[in-house]
Amino acid sequence: MSSTLLDIDFRPDLIRPADARIAIIANAFQTVDETLAHYRMAADDEEVLNRNNEFYLERYRAMVPTVDGARREIIDAVNAMRTGEGGDSLIDEHNSCSLNGVYLYSFLSRNGYEGKVELIDNLDLEVERARQIVTDSDVVLLSTTFITSVDTIVRLARLMKEWNPRAKVIVGGAKLTQYADESEIVEAARSADALILSPNGEKTLLRMIPRLMEGRSVEGLLNVAYHDGEFHRSSRNLPDGVDIDSNFVRWSDLPPSIVRSSLNLRTGRGCPFKCKFCTFPSYNDQKVDLMSTESVIAQLREIQRMPEVKSIRFVDDTLFLNRNHLISVCQGMIDIGFDLPWTAYLRSTTLTEESCRYLSEAGCKLVLVGVESADQTVLDNMLKGTKEKHNWTAAANLAKYGILGFAFILTGFPGETTASVDKTIDFLNNSGIQSYVHSPLFVFPNSPVAREAQAFGLTGGFNDWAHPTMDCRTAIEESSRIFQEVTNCGYIDRGSSVTKVLLDHGYSVDQVKELAISHNQIARDEMNGVSTAAALAAFRRLALDRNIGASSVGAFTSPYARTGGALHINSSARY
């Protein structure tokens, strides 16, 4: 069915909004058990999956050092030291609302539901407020942008019904369009009133809410699933998005509870690349919608008049797909005198010296780059579309212009060997890149590498795979070796989000690198059974730097929970 046909009866002004109060849930913590539930279904031997998972988590726990009597990732460690010194100025990890919820809030407010929408950014961080909002709502929207488990969807949907049995629960987002198989969709449909099975879904959502509120069936709508005693599904992933230039967030219309000190912006949707480890190419049409430079600059003009905003995060992978677009946006920022620091995801092929000069002049402080590997054979096998030289040149250019370069590293893709990992270690130590995060390969169902397993000589899946040059356990061990041997670049657990928060609170590019390296060294000293005193002293000096403008928050949180002396991961941070 063509996108034209899908638009025949769609004009927002012709769809009568329902008389409904709407709660949006953008995120919630997800347990490791919930994360693994999908993979246990397909595992040949569930016990092997569990053993391999614990093998993996043991090694990643060891990279989180002991600070002030407990294992603490970097923000947790800084705040513990500040609290121990009697300080009340802590780093607020939650200084920004996730864009998925903000966008839905803005979109619905501008399409008939103004004054009737409430946003819950993370249910687990504001449970009592969330309970009250849900109790008072007629419709609850659960976004799965950051939720990768149907078990989590079911748990949350049932909780919403427990809090408010009359509420209509609608679930949509990436889990349903990119990761879920049919049995999971059926399970999710049993717990909710309706699912939206579309990467965008705005048109379907506006049509669905009045039907549910009037007690009518959603049968006949595109991209929906529901269970009324029997499972029904109309379609999946047919285009039903709205024009991106007409529907960006109107930032000045948002309430203070949503406008925090850092804002997340989207300037495009879709990804044209076909990296073989990624699930996106298997479920989407690769169509890219880039927001015009004028629309991007219009948002930035609005934001720079908001004194409470201190930084900007461009969160989409499509920003600056080519140098011309990058330079156009940067020049626009320079022309309006935009003076807030900002961060972005970019490809190494785009990061020429000219591009980095424009980025620096426009106020960019952090660029996150999907390096994945420093070995050409591995990059070619991934269909990454980059060369070794692109990564080295990008790192050098970012360093030259004082922009923090952050590399994503993936270990174990077919073709990976100890020698190729050596090249990645050399890159991290000597290219000029300042920070990184790494992960072993997880073979996700329906990713291109899983679909082409025979061609790669790949057997097994998720965390129990092997191919002619490596297996999963070796990839996990090689990730640990990267951590041990990279000493001139800072590994930052949970990576990009934490790095942004450190910059937001006043740490300089050089200080973030130094803070991460000293944090790593504490953990390495523990692993190697030597004194941690010197590394702790170096970390403490930066943690207690009173020139860093942290926030006055009453408490701090971490994705790690502690029971006694044990460290447990209670979110999807490690997957």
Side-chain angles (χ1 to χ4, degrees), residues 14 76 86 94 105 112 118 177 251-252 259 265 284-285 300 381 392 414 553 556 567-568:
L14 296 181
D76 193 353
H94 307 287
Y105 181 99
E118 293 278 3
T177 60
W251 297 99
S252 59
V259 181
L265 268 69
N284 295 279
D285 60 8
L300 296 177
N381 288 350
W392 283 85
V553 292
F556 57 91
L567 182 72
H568 301 280

PDB file of all heavy atoms in Angstrom, residues 14 76 86 94 105 112 118 177 251-252 259 265 284-285 300 381 392 414 553 556 567-568:
ATOM      1  N   LEU A  14      -9.395  17.341  10.938  1.00  0.00           N
ATOM      2  CA  LEU A  14     -10.674  16.682  10.672  1.00  0.00           C
ATOM      3  C   LEU A  14     -10.930  15.499  11.605  1.00  0.00           C
ATOM      4  O   LEU A  14     -11.985  14.874  11.532  1.00  0.00           O
ATOM      5  CB  LEU A  14     -10.730  16.213   9.212  1.00  0.00           C
ATOM      6  CG  LEU A  14     -10.681  17.325   8.155  1.00  0.00           C
ATOM      7  CD1 LEU A  14     -10.780  16.725   6.772  1.00  0.00           C
ATOM      8  CD2 LEU A  14     -11.793  18.356   8.388  1.00  0.00           C
ATOM      9  N   ASP A  76      27.951   8.031  40.092  1.00  0.00           N
ATOM     10  CA  ASP A  76      27.709   7.547  41.446  1.00  0.00           C
ATOM     11  C   ASP A  76      28.938   7.791  42.324  1.00  0.00           C
ATOM     12  O   ASP A  76      28.840   8.232  43.479  1.00  0.00           O
ATOM     13  CB  ASP A  76      27.394   6.051  41.364  1.00  0.00           C
ATOM     14  CG  ASP A  76      26.812   5.467  42.642  1.00  0.00           C
ATOM     15  OD1 ASP A  76      26.767   6.178  43.646  1.00  0.00           O
ATOM     16  OD2 ASP A  76      26.408   4.296  42.613  1.00  0.00           O
ATOM     17  N   GLY A  86      30.583  16.282  52.758  1.00  0.00           N
ATOM     18  CA  GLY A  86      29.576  17.210  53.275  1.00  0.00           C
ATOM     19  C   GLY A  86      28.989  18.118  52.223  1.00  0.00           C
ATOM     20  O   GLY A  86      28.262  19.065  52.557  1.00  0.00           O
ATOM     21  N   HIS A  94      19.697  12.874  35.827  1.00  0.00           N
ATOM     22  CA  HIS A  94      18.407  12.970  35.139  1.00  0.00           C
ATOM     23  C   HIS A  94      18.081  14.431  34.831  1.00  0.00           C
ATOM     24  O   HIS A  94      16.997  14.924  35.143  1.00  0.00           O
ATOM     25  CB  HIS A  94      17.335  12.305  35.989  1.00  0.00           C
ATOM     26  CG  HIS A  94      17.692  10.913  36.378  1.00  0.00           C
ATOM     27  ND1 HIS A  94      17.669   9.861  35.482  1.00  0.00           N
ATOM     28  CD2 HIS A  94      18.160  10.409  37.544  1.00  0.00           C
ATOM     29  CE1 HIS A  94      18.080   8.757  36.097  1.00  0.00           C
ATOM     30  NE2 HIS A  94      18.387   9.065  37.334  1.00  0.00           N
ATOM     31  N   TYR A 105       4.291  14.405  23.916  1.00  0.00           N
ATOM     32  CA  TYR A 105       3.603  15.459  24.673  1.00  0.00           C
ATOM     33  C   TYR A 105       3.310  16.650  23.767  1.00  0.00           C
ATOM     34  O   TYR A 105       2.187  17.154  23.711  1.00  0.00           O
ATOM     35  CB  TYR A 105       4.459  15.891  25.871  1.00  0.00           C
ATOM     36  CG  TYR A 105       3.827  16.958  26.728  1.00  0.00           C
ATOM     37  CD1 TYR A 105       3.179  16.618  27.906  1.00  0.00           C
ATOM     38  CD2 TYR A 105       3.870  18.300  26.362  1.00  0.00           C
ATOM     39  CE1 TYR A 105       2.581  17.590  28.705  1.00  0.00           C
ATOM     40  CE2 TYR A 105       3.269  19.283  27.144  1.00  0.00           C
ATOM     41  CZ  TYR A 105       2.630  18.917  28.312  1.00  0.00           C
ATOM     42  OH  TYR A 105       2.037  19.888  29.094  1.00  0.00           O
ATOM     43  N   GLY A 112      -5.135  18.733  19.585  1.00  0.00           N
ATOM     44  CA  GLY A 112      -6.414  18.623  20.240  1.00  0.00           C
ATOM     45  C   GLY A 112      -6.407  18.249  21.700  1.00  0.00           C
ATOM     46  O   GLY A 112      -7.470  18.199  22.336  1.00  0.00           O
ATOM     47  N   GLU A 118      -0.045  14.536  30.400  1.00  0.00           N
ATOM     48  CA  GLU A 118       0.997  14.552  31.431  1.00  0.00           C
ATOM     49  C   GLU A 118       2.108  13.600  31.006  1.00  0.00           C
ATOM     50  O   GLU A 118       1.832  12.514  30.473  1.00  0.00           O
ATOM     51  CB  GLU A 118       0.449  14.109  32.782  1.00  0.00           C
ATOM     52  CG  GLU A 118      -0.547  15.060  33.404  1.00  0.00           C
ATOM     53  CD  GLU A 118       0.114  16.218  34.141  1.00  0.00           C
ATOM     54  OE1 GLU A 118       1.352  16.300  34.109  1.00  0.00           O
ATOM     55  OE2 GLU A 118      -0.613  17.016  34.759  1.00  0.00           O
ATOM     56  N   THR A 177       8.365  -2.795  16.734  1.00  0.00           N
ATOM     57  CA  THR A 177       8.625  -2.722  15.296  1.00  0.00           C
ATOM     58  C   THR A 177       9.958  -3.326  14.886  1.00  0.00           C
ATOM     59  O   THR A 177      10.137  -3.721  13.738  1.00  0.00           O
ATOM     60  CB  THR A 177       8.586  -1.259  14.811  1.00  0.00           C
ATOM     61  OG1 THR A 177       9.583  -0.497  15.491  1.00  0.00           O
ATOM     62  CG2 THR A 177       7.225  -0.647  15.066  1.00  0.00           C
ATOM     63  N   TRP A 251       9.251  24.070  21.841  1.00  0.00           N
ATOM     64  CA  TRP A 251       9.891  24.014  23.150  1.00  0.00           C
ATOM     65  C   TRP A 251       9.343  25.029  24.143  1.00  0.00           C
ATOM     66  O   TRP A 251       9.189  24.734  25.328  1.00  0.00           O
ATOM     67  CB  TRP A 251      11.405  24.190  22.983  1.00  0.00           C
ATOM     68  CG  TRP A 251      11.990  23.081  22.179  1.00  0.00           C
ATOM     69  CD1 TRP A 251      12.315  23.092  20.851  1.00  0.00           C
ATOM     70  CD2 TRP A 251      12.286  21.763  22.636  1.00  0.00           C
ATOM     71  NE1 TRP A 251      12.790  21.867  20.452  1.00  0.00           N
ATOM     72  CE2 TRP A 251      12.787  21.040  21.524  1.00  0.00           C
ATOM     73  CE3 TRP A 251      12.170  21.122  23.868  1.00  0.00           C
ATOM     74  CZ2 TRP A 251      13.177  19.708  21.630  1.00  0.00           C
ATOM     75  CZ3 TRP A 251      12.562  19.798  23.975  1.00  0.00           C
ATOM     76  CH2 TRP A 251      13.058  19.109  22.856  1.00  0.00           C
ATOM     77  N   SER A 252       9.020  26.215  23.688  1.00  0.00           N
ATOM     78  CA  SER A 252       8.561  27.252  24.618  1.00  0.00           C
ATOM     79  C   SER A 252       7.165  26.976  25.147  1.00  0.00           C
ATOM     80  O   SER A 252       6.721  27.623  26.108  1.00  0.00           O
ATOM     81  CB  SER A 252       8.596  28.622  23.936  1.00  0.00           C
ATOM     82  OG  SER A 252       7.775  28.628  22.778  1.00  0.00           O
ATOM     83  N   VAL A 259      11.012  20.910  30.734  1.00  0.00           N
ATOM     84  CA  VAL A 259      12.181  21.658  30.267  1.00  0.00           C
ATOM     85  C   VAL A 259      13.232  21.653  31.367  1.00  0.00           C
ATOM     86  O   VAL A 259      13.234  22.505  32.261  1.00  0.00           O
ATOM     87  CB  VAL A 259      11.810  23.106  29.882  1.00  0.00           C
ATOM     88  CG1 VAL A 259      13.044  23.851  29.379  1.00  0.00           C
ATOM     89  CG2 VAL A 259      10.731  23.105  28.812  1.00  0.00           C
ATOM     90  N   LEU A 265      17.196  16.942  21.022  1.00  0.00           N
ATOM     91  CA  LEU A 265      16.593  17.340  19.758  1.00  0.00           C
ATOM     92  C   LEU A 265      16.752  16.251  18.717  1.00  0.00           C
ATOM     93  O   LEU A 265      17.798  15.606  18.635  1.00  0.00           O
ATOM     94  CB  LEU A 265      17.252  18.620  19.203  1.00  0.00           C
ATOM     95  CG  LEU A 265      16.614  19.949  19.575  1.00  0.00           C
ATOM     96  CD1 LEU A 265      16.823  20.227  21.054  1.00  0.00           C
ATOM     97  CD2 LEU A 265      17.220  21.073  18.743  1.00  0.00           C
ATOM     98  N   ASN A 284      12.970  -1.944   8.720  1.00  0.00           N
ATOM     99  CA  ASN A 284      12.610  -0.631   8.227  1.00  0.00           C
ATOM    100  C   ASN A 284      13.030  -0.481   6.770  1.00  0.00           C
ATOM    101  O   ASN A 284      13.886  -1.197   6.271  1.00  0.00           O
ATOM    102  CB  ASN A 284      13.254   0.451   9.101  1.00  0.00           C
ATOM    103  CG  ASN A 284      12.706   0.414  10.514  1.00  0.00           C
ATOM    104  OD1 ASN A 284      11.643   0.923  10.807  1.00  0.00           O
ATOM    105  ND2 ASN A 284      13.443  -0.239  11.408  1.00  0.00           N
ATOM    106  N   ASP A 285      12.423   0.500   6.094  1.00  0.00           N
ATOM    107  CA  ASP A 285      12.615   0.623   4.656  1.00  0.00           C
ATOM    108  C   ASP A 285      13.826   1.473   4.279  1.00  0.00           C
ATOM    109  O   ASP A 285      14.021   1.787   3.113  1.00  0.00           O
ATOM    110  CB  ASP A 285      11.354   1.197   4.001  1.00  0.00           C
ATOM    111  CG  ASP A 285      10.997   2.588   4.545  1.00  0.00           C
ATOM    112  OD1 ASP A 285      11.816   3.162   5.306  1.00  0.00           O
ATOM    113  OD2 ASP A 285       9.912   3.089   4.200  1.00  0.00           O
ATOM    114  N   LEU A 300      16.327  26.061  17.546  1.00  0.00           N
ATOM    115  CA  LEU A 300      17.439  26.599  18.326  1.00  0.00           C
ATOM    116  C   LEU A 300      17.203  28.058  18.700  1.00  0.00           C
ATOM    117  O   LEU A 300      17.597  28.496  19.794  1.00  0.00           O
ATOM    118  CB  LEU A 300      18.741  26.437  17.541  1.00  0.00           C
ATOM    119  CG  LEU A 300      19.155  24.979  17.269  1.00  0.00           C
ATOM    120  CD1 LEU A 300      20.418  24.924  16.422  1.00  0.00           C
ATOM    121  CD2 LEU A 300      19.364  24.209  18.571  1.00  0.00           C
ATOM    122  N   ASN A 381      33.343  -6.634   6.754  1.00  0.00           N
ATOM    123  CA  ASN A 381      32.379  -7.685   7.048  1.00  0.00           C
ATOM    124  C   ASN A 381      31.089  -7.115   7.655  1.00  0.00           C
ATOM    125  O   ASN A 381      29.994  -7.627   7.411  1.00  0.00           O
ATOM    126  CB  ASN A 381      32.980  -8.716   7.999  1.00  0.00           C
ATOM    127  CG  ASN A 381      34.026  -9.593   7.333  1.00  0.00           C
ATOM    128  OD1 ASN A 381      34.183  -9.575   6.112  1.00  0.00           O
ATOM    129  ND2 ASN A 381      34.752 -10.354   8.131  1.00  0.00           N
ATOM    130  N   TRP A 392      40.821   7.102  12.127  1.00  0.00           N
ATOM    131  CA  TRP A 392      42.019   7.787  12.615  1.00  0.00           C
ATOM    132  C   TRP A 392      41.952   9.283  12.300  1.00  0.00           C
ATOM    133  O   TRP A 392      42.283  10.127  13.161  1.00  0.00           O
ATOM    134  CB  TRP A 392      43.273   7.164  12.008  1.00  0.00           C
ATOM    135  CG  TRP A 392      43.663   5.867  12.649  1.00  0.00           C
ATOM    136  CD1 TRP A 392      43.185   4.627  12.338  1.00  0.00           C
ATOM    137  CD2 TRP A 392      44.601   5.682  13.714  1.00  0.00           C
ATOM    138  NE1 TRP A 392      43.773   3.676  13.151  1.00  0.00           N
ATOM    139  CE2 TRP A 392      44.648   4.288  13.995  1.00  0.00           C
ATOM    140  CE3 TRP A 392      45.410   6.544  14.444  1.00  0.00           C
ATOM    141  CZ2 TRP A 392      45.472   3.752  14.986  1.00  0.00           C
ATOM    142  CZ3 TRP A 392      46.237   6.012  15.440  1.00  0.00           C
ATOM    143  CH2 TRP A 392      46.265   4.633  15.702  1.00  0.00           C
ATOM    144  N   PRO A 414      32.228 -11.378  12.995  1.00  0.00           N
ATOM    145  CA  PRO A 414      32.978 -12.301  12.138  1.00  0.00           C
ATOM    146  C   PRO A 414      34.166 -11.629  11.454  1.00  0.00           C
ATOM    147  O   PRO A 414      34.051 -10.546  10.881  1.00  0.00           O
ATOM    148  CB  PRO A 414      31.928 -12.758  11.120  1.00  0.00           C
ATOM    149  CG  PRO A 414      30.659 -12.761  11.913  1.00  0.00           C
ATOM    150  CD  PRO A 414      30.763 -11.572  12.825  1.00  0.00           C
ATOM    151  N   VAL A 553      20.738  18.605  43.913  1.00  0.00           N
ATOM    152  CA  VAL A 553      19.725  17.553  43.955  1.00  0.00           C
ATOM    153  C   VAL A 553      19.827  16.846  45.294  1.00  0.00           C
ATOM    154  O   VAL A 553      20.905  16.719  45.859  1.00  0.00           O
ATOM    155  CB  VAL A 553      19.902  16.541  42.796  1.00  0.00           C
ATOM    156  CG1 VAL A 553      19.593  17.206  41.472  1.00  0.00           C
ATOM    157  CG2 VAL A 553      21.292  15.941  42.781  1.00  0.00           C
ATOM    158  N   PHE A 556      20.836  10.851  44.597  1.00  0.00           N
ATOM    159  CA  PHE A 556      21.342  10.437  43.300  1.00  0.00           C
ATOM    160  C   PHE A 556      20.989   8.979  43.072  1.00  0.00           C
ATOM    161  O   PHE A 556      20.777   8.210  43.995  1.00  0.00           O
ATOM    162  CB  PHE A 556      22.854  10.668  43.173  1.00  0.00           C
ATOM    163  CG  PHE A 556      23.696   9.981  44.214  1.00  0.00           C
ATOM    164  CD1 PHE A 556      24.202   8.708  43.998  1.00  0.00           C
ATOM    165  CD2 PHE A 556      24.017  10.628  45.399  1.00  0.00           C
ATOM    166  CE1 PHE A 556      24.997   8.086  44.941  1.00  0.00           C
ATOM    167  CE2 PHE A 556      24.804  10.013  46.351  1.00  0.00           C
ATOM    168  CZ  PHE A 556      25.303   8.737  46.128  1.00  0.00           C
ATOM    169  N   LEU A 567      26.592  -6.319  43.934  1.00  0.00           N
ATOM    170  CA  LEU A 567      26.211  -5.323  42.937  1.00  0.00           C
ATOM    171  C   LEU A 567      25.289  -5.975  41.915  1.00  0.00           C
ATOM    172  O   LEU A 567      25.618  -6.990  41.330  1.00  0.00           O
ATOM    173  CB  LEU A 567      27.466  -4.793  42.241  1.00  0.00           C
ATOM    174  CG  LEU A 567      27.259  -3.696  41.199  1.00  0.00           C
ATOM    175  CD1 LEU A 567      26.880  -2.388  41.877  1.00  0.00           C
ATOM    176  CD2 LEU A 567      28.544  -3.496  40.402  1.00  0.00           C
ATOM    177  N   HIS A 568      24.116  -5.413  41.744  1.00  0.00           N
ATOM    178  CA  HIS A 568      23.149  -5.970  40.800  1.00  0.00           C
ATOM    179  C   HIS A 568      22.765  -4.908  39.788  1.00  0.00           C
ATOM    180  O   HIS A 568      22.498  -3.761  40.149  1.00  0.00           O
ATOM    181  CB  HIS A 568      21.898  -6.453  41.540  1.00  0.00           C
ATOM    182  CG  HIS A 568      22.171  -7.495  42.562  1.00  0.00           C
ATOM    183  ND1 HIS A 568      22.352  -8.823  42.243  1.00  0.00           N
ATOM    184  CD2 HIS A 568      22.338  -7.396  43.901  1.00  0.00           C
ATOM    185  CE1 HIS A 568      22.593  -9.502  43.357  1.00  0.00           C
ATOM    186  NE2 HIS A 568      22.597  -8.661  44.373  1.00  0.00           N
TER     187      HIS A 568
END
